[in-house]
Amino acid sequence: MTLSAALRKLYFTRAAFSVIWVILIAIFAASNFTMASILLIIYPAWDVFGTFLDIRANKGPSSKTPQYINAVISTITTIAVALALQHGVPEALIVFGIWAILTGLIQLILALRRRKELGGQWPMIISGGQSIIGGSSFIILAHDPKMGITSLAGYAAFGAFYYLLSAFRLKPSSN
């Protein structure tokens, strides 16, 4: 399987996960704090899994350091979100915001590196930038009474949208 075919499959999978996550968070955020908390912990944990799928797909000689850094950051975030939720949703949103900034930066770097070879990366470039902005807003607005776990649904929905766009825009590659 070529890199573009493997990434296309991964992007569709990540988009599907995000859509399902958005639906579940919309259902449970207001009525079941425990389930919403579990979903909040699952989101960065899924990113670890998705990152390792990305590493596995990318068999070429290019450096995988950004992906490994992303996996470490997302692993730490999964644990940090679980701990932060013991103190409250605002604290968890701050952790989530820091994670969104860091992983958005990594996504931006990866997409810029992949754009010439694979094409179809402009949605990932935009998504990385938007993740940085979204993460900053989560931190700034974390203690706003209107902010809650459901505020992350839009972030995840845009992520799904950008993964779908990238999947459709990838050009075939020979590796």
Side-chain angles (χ1 to χ4, degrees):
M1 182 181 298
T2 66
L3 175 58
S4 61
L7 287 177
R8 184 174 289 110
K9 182 179 176 182
L10 175 61
Y11 290 171
F12 281 130
T13 302
R14 290 188 78 142
F17 172 87
S18 293
V19 168
I20 292 166
W21 189 88
V22 168
I23 292 167
L24 291 174
I25 207 71
I27 291 168
F28 293 111
S31 62
N32 188 332
F33 180 75
T34 302
M35 185 61 154
S37 296
I38 291 168
L39 288 167
L40 193 56
I41 294 166
I42 286 173
Y43 200 85
W46 163 253
D47 191 59
V48 175
F49 183 70
T51 299
F52 281 112
L53 291 176
D54 188 290
I55 290 167
R56 193 174 92 193
N58 188 6
K59 293 178 171 70
S62 65
S63 172
K64 294 166 189 63
T65 302
Q67 289 104 317
Y68 284 114
I69 291 170
N70 187 72
V72 168
I73 290 169
S74 293
T75 300
I76 292 168
T77 300
T78 301
I79 296 164
V81 167
L83 295 173
L85 281 166
Q86 295 175 8
H87 298 284
V89 171
E91 289 77 6
L93 290 174
I94 291 169
V95 171
F96 203 94
I98 293 168
W99 172 70
I101 292 167
L102 294 174
T103 58
L105 182 60
I106 291 168
Q107 182 180 19
L108 185 61
I109 291 167
L110 269 174
L112 288 170
R113 283 188 9 200
R114 289 178 171 166
R115 78 180 190 276
K116 287 185 182 175
E117 176 188 357
L118 300 172
Q121 293 298 300
W122 67 265
M124 291 291 96
I125 292 168
I126 295 169
S127 178
Q130 187 172 347
S131 187
I132 293 167
I133 294 167
S136 300
S137 72
F138 296 146
I139 293 168
I140 293 167
L141 300 172
H143 290 88
D144 183 330
K146 296 177 203 149
M147 271 299 259
I149 294 173
T150 54
S151 63
L152 302 175
Y155 172 82
F158 271 109
F161 173 73
Y162 289 128
Y163 275 118
L164 284 174
L165 277 180
S166 287
F168 286 118
R169 295 195 47 85
L170 283 172
K171 65 183 178 182
S173 67
S174 58
N175 52 353

